[in-house]
Amino acid sequence: MSSNIGRLGIIIHKLNKITEMRIKNNIVLFIVWLIICLFNFLTPLSADDYCYMMIVGQEPAQIDTLGDVFTSITYHYTHSTTGRSLVHALIQIFAGILGKTVFCIVNALMFVLFVQLIRKLANIYGKSYLYTIILIAFIWLFIPAFAETTLWLSGSVNYLWATTAALAFIYLINNIEKLSNRYYLYPI
C-alpha cells in the first residue's frame, strides 16, 4: 500500500513539473505575442500594402467588400504569373476591409503558431521554456529580413503565413497515424 502511495507522489510531482513548464512556455509565448503585436503596430504600411487596398485592374477603386477582393484576385489570376492568389486575397482582405489593427493581432498569433510548429517538429515541445527562448532568438537573428518577412503586412502574409501553413501540413503528415484515431480528422 505504501509503495502505491509513493508512486502516486512521484506521478503528482512529475505532473506538477510538466504543468509548471507549460505555464512558463505559455508566458514566454504570450510575451512574444505582445512584442510582435507591438512591432506590427509600429511597422508602417508600404507601397505594396497601399496597392493591395485597391481593386487591381480598376484603379482608383478602393476595396470595400469581399466581392471587390474577388474581382481583384480574378484580375491577378488572369493577368499575373505569380500563382499567389490566396495570399494576395488575404492581403487585400486585411489591407482593404479588416484594417491594420486586426492584421497586427492575427499576425502576432500566426508568429506564435509558427514558433509552436517549429517546437513540435523539432521535438522540443515538452522541454524547458529556455528552449523556446533560444528558438525565438534564432528565428529573430537568422531569418533574412525579419521585418519584411514577419512584420510588414504584404511580406508576412506571403512568407510567414505561407511557411506556417507548410509547417502545419508537414506536422499533420508526420502525425497522421496519431491523429487518425481522433474522430475529427478526415482524409485530405
Side-chain angles (χ1 to χ4, degrees), residues 99-120:
K100 186 168 181 197
T101 302
V102 174
F103 167 76
C104 293
I105 293 166
V106 174
N107 192 55
L109 286 171
M110 191 63 72
F111 183 79
V112 169
L113 179 60
F114 176 70
V115 171
Q116 285 287 78
L117 286 167
I118 293 174
R119 287 178 63 215
K120 286 183 179 256

Side-chain angles (χ1 to χ4, degrees), residues 21-111:
M21 183 177 46
R22 285 184 179 166
I23 290 171
K24 287 179 181 178
N25 269 315
N26 288 339
I27 289 170
V28 167
L29 292 172
F30 179 71
I31 291 169
V32 167
W33 178 82
L34 283 174
I35 291 169
I36 295 296
C37 207
L38 174 69
F39 285 166
N40 272 319
F41 278 112
L42 295 174
T43 304
L45 295 175
S46 72
D48 285 359
D49 301 330
Y50 288 112
C51 288
Y52 283 115
M53 288 180 185
M54 303 296 187
I55 301 173
V56 178
Q58 296 182 6
E59 279 88 19
Q62 187 167 352
I63 290 178
D64 292 323
T65 65
L66 288 176
D68 294 341
V69 172
F70 183 75
T71 301
S72 185
I73 291 306
T74 303
Y75 184 86
H76 264 292
Y77 183 75
T78 57
H79 292 83
S80 174
T81 58
T82 66
R84 295 184 280 175
S85 298
L86 178 62
V87 294
H88 286 169
L90 289 171
I91 293 167
Q92 289 189 311
I93 288 170
F94 281 106
I97 299 171
L98 298 177
K100 186 168 181 197
T101 302
V102 174
F103 167 76
C104 293
I105 293 166
V106 174
N107 192 55
L109 286 171
M110 191 63 72
F111 183 79

Side-chain angles (χ1 to χ4, degrees), residues 111 114-120 122 124 129-142:
F111 183 79
F114 176 70
V115 171
Q116 285 287 78
L117 286 167
I118 293 174
R119 287 178 63 215
K120 286 183 179 256
I124 60 171
Y129 69 96
L130 295 174
Y131 286 102
T132 305
I133 293 171
I134 291 168
L135 173 63
I136 292 165
F138 279 1
I139 291 170
W140 184 276
L141 293 172
F142 296 116

